[in-house]
Amino acid sequence: MPVKESKKVPMDPQKVERIMSVSLTEFAHHGYQGTKTDNIAKQANVSKGIIFRYYGNKVQLYLATIKFATEHITNVADYSVWQNAHDLDEMIVNATKYKIQLQLQFPDEFKILLDAYAGVGDAPAALRQKAAKFYANETNDNLNTLVEPVLNRLPVRSDIDRQTIQNLMVAVFNQVGLETKAFMKQHPDADLTDFDEIINHVRQYMDILEHGFLTA
């Protein structure tokens, strides 16, 4: 776990909530370099000293904010969208539409998380690597849990390792995430009806994953 919150200092839950909410907005809108702890302290109505007592430094504050954003999305997500699908095509199409809906609903959370996963933010390279590793571990573990019920209902070849299939699906979801991020950067006012091209890409990815890309 990359986030090392001090256990020696009692942390006021209300102050933590305010700090995390403001940090999420600031890091999402201004990046790592452009975010100032002075501004976070002022908007969260705490002293700058409290921030450093709780988190130690800006690096740990950034990592704690990524953890906060991850937990928020995890807590609001409806896992039945994945688990109740009849097959992989239905699962990944429904999941992609649902993820886009969440991304439109929680833009700050997805901005900081996609920056962390893709490693394209302006944080120092070592910090980007830590953030990407944490986010990838969290999302990949969750995705494996979501995919397993669907795989259990399908006639999967006995000579194929389930983890290999799940790894491929994680790669597909990650690619879709990058495409969605690029699209939303170019079309900040887009809604779900504007993502048909990405949905079509998802279906092609799944068709190739299930049936290959060579003619019979």
Side-chain angles (χ1 to χ4, degrees), residues 29-151:
H29 287 256
H30 304 293
Y32 180 81
Q33 300 294 347
T35 295
K36 307 300 180 185
T37 53
D38 288 333
N39 292 338
I40 293 175
K42 182 177 180 180
Q43 294 180 54
N45 195 27
V46 299
S47 68
K48 187 175 178 179
I50 284 291
I51 292 179
F52 287 107
R53 284 177 61 200
Y54 283 6
Y55 301 100
N57 54 46
K58 186 177 177 181
V59 167
Q60 293 302 321
L61 177 63
Y62 180 73
L63 293 173
T65 306
I66 290 175
K67 181 174 183 289
F68 173 79
T70 302
E71 291 176 347
H72 188 192
I73 295 300
T74 300
N75 290 337
V76 301
D78 179 6
Y79 295 149
S80 67
V81 172
W82 285 262
Q83 295 171 328
N84 292 345
H86 295 91
D87 55 36
L88 296 181
D89 179 79
E90 180 183 338
M91 184 204 72
I92 199 166
V93 170
N94 290 349
T96 299
K97 291 180 178 178
Y98 181 61
K99 187 175 181 180
I100 291 171
Q101 288 179 322
L102 287 177
Q103 192 161 343
L104 295 171
Q105 187 177 358
F106 303 102
D108 289 349
E109 285 85 347
F110 274 87
K111 175 65 168 62
I112 191 172
L113 293 178
L114 286 172
D115 280 351
Y117 175 76
V120 297
D122 62 353
L127 178 54
R128 292 202 307 270
Q129 291 175 359
K130 287 183 179 180
K133 183 177 180 181
F134 169 75
Y135 179 60
N137 288 341
E138 290 290 311
T139 54
N140 290 355
D141 289 345
N142 289 339
L143 185 56
N144 288 340
T145 301
L146 299 176
V147 170
E148 188 66 22
V150 181
L151 290 179

Side-chain angles (χ1 to χ4, degrees), residues 84 91 139 154 161 168 178 183:
N84 292 345
M91 184 204 72
T139 54
L154 297 176
D161 179 64
L168 285 172
L178 293 177
F183 182 86

